[in-house]
Amino acid sequence: MMNREELKQLYKESETEAGVYQIKNTHNQKVWISATRNLKTMNGKLFTLKMGSHINKQLQQEWNEYGEEAFVFEVLEVLKKKEDGFFDEKDALKKLEQKWLDQLQPYGERGYHQEKKKEQ
C-alpha cells in the first residue's frame, strides 16, 4: 500500500484532460454545458449541487426538486492538444465549448443557459 506522500505525487503526475461536459436532467432533458481544463473538476460541480451552491440557480432549483438521481454527468468531448508548436489551450477550450453550445442550443426549455445578446 502506498503512503500518503506517494499517493500525492502520483496524483500530481497524472495527466489532466481538458474538455467539455454536460449535466443533464433526465426528467426534462435540460442540459448545462461547461468547459474545464481538468475534467476531474466535474466532481466539484457535483459537490456544489449537493451543497446547494451551484452558480446556476435554475439548475440548482431543479436539482433540489428532482434529486441527484435525475441528473447525469457526461463528457461531451476531450480537447485534443497540439503536440508541436504554440497551443492556446484556453482559447481552444472556449471554441470547443461554443461548438457544443451551438450544437445543443441549451437555452429556454432546452437548458440552463441564457442566450447572449447579439452585438450590433
Side-chain angles (χ1 to χ4, degrees), residues 25-115:
N25 182 334
T26 60
H27 185 78
N28 60 20
Q29 306 308 306
K30 284 185 175 183
V31 295
W32 167 264
I33 295 171
S34 185
T36 179
R37 295 180 90 170
N38 183 352
L39 286 168
K40 292 177 186 172
T41 62
M42 288 191 307
N43 291 331
K45 294 300 177 198
L46 174 61
F47 181 77
T48 60
L49 284 164
K50 286 181 177 182
M51 293 294 106
S53 59
H54 193 273
I55 191 168
N56 185 286
K57 299 303 177 208
Q58 185 185 10
L59 173 58
Q60 184 66 62
Q61 181 180 348
E62 291 189 4
W63 175 276
N64 296 343
E65 183 180 338
Y66 299 121
E68 180 178 348
E69 48 288 333
F71 292 84
V72 290
F73 286 68
E74 299 170 317
V75 174
L76 296 173
E77 191 170 346
V78 174
L79 180 66
K80 291 167 187 59
K81 297 180 183 179
K82 211 167 93 173
E83 295 299 319
D84 56 335
F86 177 75
F87 179 69
D88 185 345
E89 182 182 61
K90 189 175 179 183
D91 184 60
L93 204 50
K94 187 176 177 183
K95 288 176 181 168
L96 191 61
E97 180 181 38
Q98 190 59 54
K99 173 188 127 177
W100 282 100
L101 288 169
D102 292 344
Q103 188 173 325
L104 297 177
Q105 294 292 308
Y107 310 106
E109 294 300 311
R110 297 177 65 175
Y112 299 104
H113 293 267
Q114 299 294 316
E115 279 196 85

